[in-house]
Amino acid sequence: MTAVPGGAGCAAVICGVGAALPPHVVSNADLTARLDTTDAWIRSRTGIIRRHVAGADLSTTDLAVRAAAQALADGEPDPVDALVVATTTPDRCCPATAPVVAARLGLTGIPAHDLAAGCTGFLYALATAAGFIAAGTARTALVVGADRLAALPAPEDRTTVPLFGDGAGAVLLRRGSPDEYGALGPVVLGSDGTGAELIRASRPGALRMEGADVFRHAVDRMSTASREAATAAGWELGDVDRLAPHQANSRITSFVARRLGVPDDHRLDNVGEVGNTGAASIPLLLTHSTADGRLKPGHRTLLTAFGAGLAWGAVALTWPDLSPTRPPGYTSSGGSRT
Ligand code: COA
């Protein structure tokens, strides 16, 4: 591909969003039939009511392709210059997911790679793609978060099975100016591998998590990163219209909002419908919230994430004017969104 001018004064601007969910839904009632748990316990501790789970016929690559295709349809019809896929659950360890996704979208020849940063992977991918745009490597870039986390817990582990679901989300970025709606502010990122054992999985079915410690770190890290991202963007926290946190669970995201002084009705939440979908979580939330009108053009929006690594991040942007396409497989009934 040909390098394009980037440099100072240019910003990466969100111009499309997309999402994909497997059609098969597993409700809390379905889980109570095979685990020693209750709908009331799961709802009160997590806010989760149901999650979508992929069968053997729906891979991480399939989900990523569907979400990316929707983001392309939603965005402006420029050629795509680069693609980054964030995932902890690639279909194979070799080759990477992204070149296959690109090929299935008819995008052979462009730079395409995967990255793994747990549930913060989408924000790492956003920063990477924005860097491609700033460096002049790309004029437009697709950023996809795709995960099949429902396969990670041991099937009999009631402490982790209810938490996770499968899905993918995507955004399309284009080169623009920092004062436009949709322009990303500086992306704040961090990691601490001394906490690596708090969430770990050597293979599907072998997830281990220290729930209470993870909860505490998640609230601390997302709150701190959010403050830093707001400051880097020149915002006061009182300026924030919408908080779009990684959908780990509603108790965690409520604590983060409270700690930041962001009113709870400014906190976006779709975890009740999809559970924790890892790297897919934030772009799924953005797509659903655009579709149901909770996220509107001009809303000053803070994205923040935390997850295995440990890794965390945040970024501020003013939400752009996007066409409100309702993603397939999504129902707005019975959700815990405010
Ligand atoms: N149904 C019923 N009881 C359950 C249960 C379930 N699904 N899971 C755990 N319990 C029980 C435990 O066995 C324990 O029983 P005990 O007191 O007799 O030992 C009790 O509930 C409390 O367990 P605990 O682990 O202390 O619960 P908690 O209040 O910490 O909630 C989490 C558990 C997982 C919901 C909470 O720790 C959490 O949200 N952690 C963060 C998880 C997360 O989001 N990870 C991903 C980050 S990206």
Side-chain angles (χ1 to χ4, degrees):
M1 61 158 294
T2 312
V4 294
C10 106
V13 177
I14 292 181
C15 60
V17 295
L21 290 167
H24 180 57
V25 174
V26 175
S27 68
N28 290 350
D30 295 329
L31 293 183
T32 61
R34 63 181 177 88
L35 291 171
D36 180 15
T37 189
T38 61
D39 175 51
W41 194 97
I42 298 169
R43 281 194 200 217
S44 65
R45 301 294 173 116
T46 70
I48 298 168
I49 301 164
R50 56 185 70 86
R51 68 289 290 147
H52 294 246
V53 177
D57 58 341
L58 198 58
S59 65
T60 296
T61 305
D62 294 331
L63 290 166
V65 168
R66 290 177 195 190
Q70 194 184 36
L72 281 175
D74 192 33
E76 292 154 28
D78 288 335
V80 176
D81 294 332
L83 188 149
V84 185
V85 174
T87 184
T88 305
T89 52
D91 300 319
R92 298 180 283 182
C93 54
C94 180
T97 314
V100 181
V101 173
R104 283 178 52 183
L105 294 167
L107 300 171
T108 51
I110 66 168
H113 74 100
D114 289 8
L115 65 79
C119 296
T120 312
F122 177 74
L123 293 186
Y124 271 79
L126 213 51
T128 302
F132 282 168
I133 288 172
T137 302
R139 188 181 284 114
T140 57
L142 264 171
V143 181
V144 185
D147 265 319
R148 294 186 53 192
L149 295 188
L152 286 191
E156 69 284 1
D157 183 1
R158 70 174 181 169
T159 66
T160 53
V161 167
L163 304 179
F164 297 103
D166 300 335
V171 304
L172 182 62
L173 296 177
R174 64 166 171 78
R175 192 177 47 151
S177 64
D179 53 357
E180 285 185 68
Y181 279 9
L184 299 178
V187 187
V188 170
L189 297 171
S191 77
D192 179 3
T194 65
E197 299 307 307
L198 296 182
I199 315 173
R200 61 194 191 279
S202 53
R203 56 179 167 74
L207 180 73
R208 293 287 176 269
M209 185 175 67
E210 311 305 326
D213 286 342
V214 169
F215 191 105
R216 185 170 49 80
H217 282 290
V219 173
D220 285 349
R221 294 302 190 181
M222 285 198 278
S223 306
T224 304
S226 295
R227 283 182 198 284
E228 290 172 6
T231 302
W235 295 3
E236 302 290 334
L237 284 169
D239 294 337
V240 174
D241 297 311
R242 291 292 179 267
L243 180 66
H246 165 54
Q247 298 293 287
N249 70 55
S250 297
R251 277 177 70 222
I252 290 176
T253 59
S254 293
F255 268 79
V256 173
R258 200 176 312 159
R259 203 173 276 189
L260 294 172
V262 172
D264 205 52
D265 63 356
H266 290 194
R267 175 181 60 92
L268 300 175
D269 187 336
N270 70 344
V271 77
E273 298 293 317
V274 298
N276 180 344
T277 56
S281 167
I282 288 179
L284 270 174
L285 179 68
L286 297 175
T287 308
H288 292 166
S289 301
T290 303
D292 67 17
R294 293 276 340 262
L295 185 55
K296 291 190 166 51
H299 273 154
R300 285 157 301 185
T301 306
L302 259 184
L303 319 184
T304 186
F306 169 86
L310 304 171
W312 56 86
V315 64
L317 77 156
T318 302
W319 194 246
D321 195 0
L322 304 173
S323 60
T325 39
R326 186 170 291 277
Y330 174 64
T331 158
S332 63
S333 62
S336 56
R337 282 160 294 128
T338 50

